[in-house]
Amino acid sequence: MREAHQDAVARVSEERLWRRLMEMAQIGAIPGNGVNRAALSKEDIAARKVLIGWARERNFEVGVDAIGNLFVRRPGQDAAAAPVITGSHMDSQPRGGRFDGIFGVLAGLEALQAMDEAGVKTRRPIELVAWTNEEGGRFQPCTMGSAVYTGARKLEDFLEVRDNEGVALRDALWQTLTATPGLARRPVNAPAAAYIEAHIEQGPLLENAGKTIGVVTGIQGLRWFNIEVSGRTDHAGTTPLALRQDALRSSIQIIHALHELTRDATDTVRFTVGRMLVTPNSPNSVASHVLFSVDVRHPDPATIAGLGKAVEPAARKAAGPCAITVTSTLHDDPCVFDPNVVDAVERAANALKLPSMRLPSGASHDAMYLARVCPTGMIFVPCEKGVSHNEAENAKPADLAAGARVLTAALLELANK
Ligand code: GLV
Ligand code: MN
Ligand code: MN
């Protein structure tokens, strides 16, 4: 590694990174050390303002695009060159932890600040991005910001999506954009030379192997569906069971059938129903309408394709007397990261003498979409017992700083190509 690059890496501050992580963890803090910072909520707006403040302290230009992806730019010597981008997301699950997403954003800020303090110049600009609505906890599907940025989906596809309270994404987005005025307006689909995202692993492999750095090789594929089951509401005390069209009972039968469909002795298939809205949701009325989510994942392209196709027929067969509508909300095939970026991450870990291993990602990330438009990779750091999407999510300050150092070194390599 060049001397100037070594200096930048050495300026990555474990203390500052941890302090910022803990400050962000106050925004939307919930009992049990967790965070609830839904996309485009007032907590998301507050987190955006803090990030913008930190970026402006360093005189970095801050910009935003039409879906609210927030960009912080450190110029390069060649202003016309496409930037190398790093980042992740600031929204969380409803009962999320202090590191999922926000670590990648603050590690990126740490990298930019360390480069600035070292006075290191790069040929390409380097941009930090906080993608809008990665989690999909409030508005479905997940990874919306990166889907729009990469042209995989259109902004218009998402504007009428509503949260559980009926708020349209269009309105929440408008509120977010007007609450953070004065930002440079960026086009969506701006070109990127490369993308690297730092993230906690969200699984136990690094911790079990005693490794500090995960060199991520790709992300497994997934399918999301909304299944709406329509029946008829009736009196719970008087209506004979044989005459009912009970939407909740049919939903349970469908979910059972999908469990059978996805049964896998190797425990590789992932199947989750995590969201269910019941109408009228009263103990003594038969449910007339149920909407529930389906999340299926697998690393093998043919397997996930086969499972994805089988969901609707299996659901129809099990629906009993109710009518169903099955809507696909997300369709992502497994992705394999660019070998040059994977190698750059591994080289950085080796140069810093950090124990590393290659591994695939079970969780989905914005990097999945970026991989469609530019050379992409990810850096994982261990999290305690692999726990994530849970208030108890935890990571060690030294591991997080190690991840930020690897990120800094890898960004410097890619930004000088
Ligand atoms: C992202 O949090 C995912 O669902 O994998
Ligand atoms: Mn995440
Ligand atoms: Mn997550």
Side-chain angles (χ1 to χ4, degrees):
M1 213 187 302
R2 291 189 215 161
E3 210 174 294
H5 292 189
Q6 277 173 6
D7 185 21
V9 170
R11 286 171 193 266
V12 167
S13 164
E14 177 180 320
E15 187 275 329
R16 183 172 55 203
L17 176 60
W18 185 258
R19 185 162 31 84
R20 284 180 172 159
L21 280 163
M22 293 306 106
E23 191 173 331
M24 281 290 192
Q26 294 305 306
I27 305 174
I30 54 173
N33 248 352
V35 172
N36 178 6
R37 200 161 51 232
L40 307 175
S41 63
K42 66 181 192 324
E43 290 81 15
D44 187 1
I45 291 170
R48 286 163 182 260
K49 285 183 174 167
V50 169
L51 182 68
I52 292 166
W54 286 333
R56 286 192 172 147
E57 275 171 22
R58 299 299 308 182
N59 293 319
F60 293 136
E61 186 186 89
V62 186
V64 70
D65 67 16
I67 189 153
N69 295 320
L70 197 60
F71 290 84
V72 174
R73 181 178 171 99
R74 182 169 192 265
Q77 289 168 310
D78 180 354
V84 172
I85 303 183
T86 184
S88 193
H89 59 99
M90 303 206 289
D91 64 320
S92 80
Q93 288 289 319
R95 288 178 50 187
R98 298 173 295 170
F99 305 98
D100 178 358
I102 192 66
F103 164 60
V105 173
L106 296 181
L109 182 65
E110 193 56 43
L112 292 194
Q113 183 156 353
M115 288 176 201
D116 232 32
E117 287 177 359
V120 59
K121 293 196 178 4
T122 56
R123 185 174 83 74
R124 294 182 180 281
I126 302 182
E127 291 183 345
L128 161 66
V129 58
W131 302 109
T132 295
N133 188 28
E134 190 276 345
E135 291 288 7
R138 179 183 181 193
F139 295 107
Q140 289 80 46
C142 58
T143 47
M144 270 188 191
S146 52
V148 171
Y149 178 84
T150 56
R153 298 289 297 268
K154 292 200 172 58
L155 174 61
E156 296 71 39
D157 291 352
F158 295 139
L159 291 174
E160 291 310 317
V161 171
R162 285 173 195 270
D163 69 7
N164 290 352
E165 270 68 56
V167 177
L169 182 126
R170 175 196 299 279
D171 297 323
L173 178 59
W174 183 82
Q175 269 170 6
T176 303
L177 293 176
T178 49
T180 47
L183 305 178
R185 228 351 153 79
R186 293 173 46 106
V188 284
N189 313 137
Y195 178 72
I196 313 184
E197 178 166 350
H199 207 283
I200 57 166
E201 183 201 334
Q202 307 182 278
L205 301 180
L206 292 175
E207 189 178 72
N208 289 347
K211 306 286 188 191
T212 310
I213 298 296
V215 180
V216 187
T217 51
I219 302 181
Q220 69 175 337
L222 78 164
R223 300 287 187 271
W224 275 21
F225 301 90
N226 275 340
I227 300 190
E228 293 191 63
V229 182
S230 300
R232 190 184 62 230
T233 188
D234 270 310
H235 196 291
T238 58
T239 317
L241 267 66
L243 297 185
R244 294 184 185 189
Q245 291 175 28
D246 182 337
L248 190 45
R249 187 173 173 192
S250 287
S251 299
I252 290 163
Q253 285 165 357
I254 294 168
I255 293 167
H256 180 71
L258 295 179
H259 266 293
E260 291 302 314
L261 173 73
T262 54
R263 187 191 290 278
D264 168 20
T266 68
D267 198 8
T268 311
V269 179
R270 299 284 174 262
F271 167 66
T272 307
V273 174
R275 177 175 183 246
M276 183 176 273
L277 302 180
V278 180
T279 308
N281 208 18
S282 164
N284 47 358
S285 286
V286 174
S288 62
H289 189 261
V290 174
L291 182 154
F292 63 92
S293 59
V294 171
D295 173 319
V296 188
R297 311 192 192 199
H298 198 279
D300 173 57
T303 308
I304 189 63
L307 287 171
K309 283 202 188 91
V311 164
E312 178 160 355
R316 291 209 174 278
K317 208 167 152 201
C322 292
I324 69 165
T325 312
V326 180
T327 310
S328 160
T329 54
L330 197 61
H331 181 117
D332 288 329
D333 289 326
C335 89
V336 178
F337 287 148
D338 183 273
N340 292 324
V341 181
V342 174
D343 287 350
V345 170
E346 196 164 59
R347 246 192 319 276
N350 290 342
L352 296 171
K353 300 195 168 39
L354 292 163
S356 70
M357 65 188 265
R358 291 187 175 217
L359 79 178
S361 176
S364 211
H365 298 284
D366 295 298
M368 184 176 236
Y369 282 121
L370 272 292
R372 297 184 185 188
V373 297
C374 68
T376 291
M378 289 188 75
I379 300 164
F380 278 171
V381 296
C383 61
E384 198 175 291
K385 298 193 180 77
V387 170
S388 183
H389 286 194
N390 183 310
E391 300 91 325
E393 189 179 276
N394 202 11
K396 293 196 181 90
D399 290 344
L400 297 163
R405 290 191 186 106
V406 171
L407 178 65
T408 305
L411 285 171
L412 284 169
E413 180 184 322
L414 296 174
N416 286 303
K417 281 204 166 129

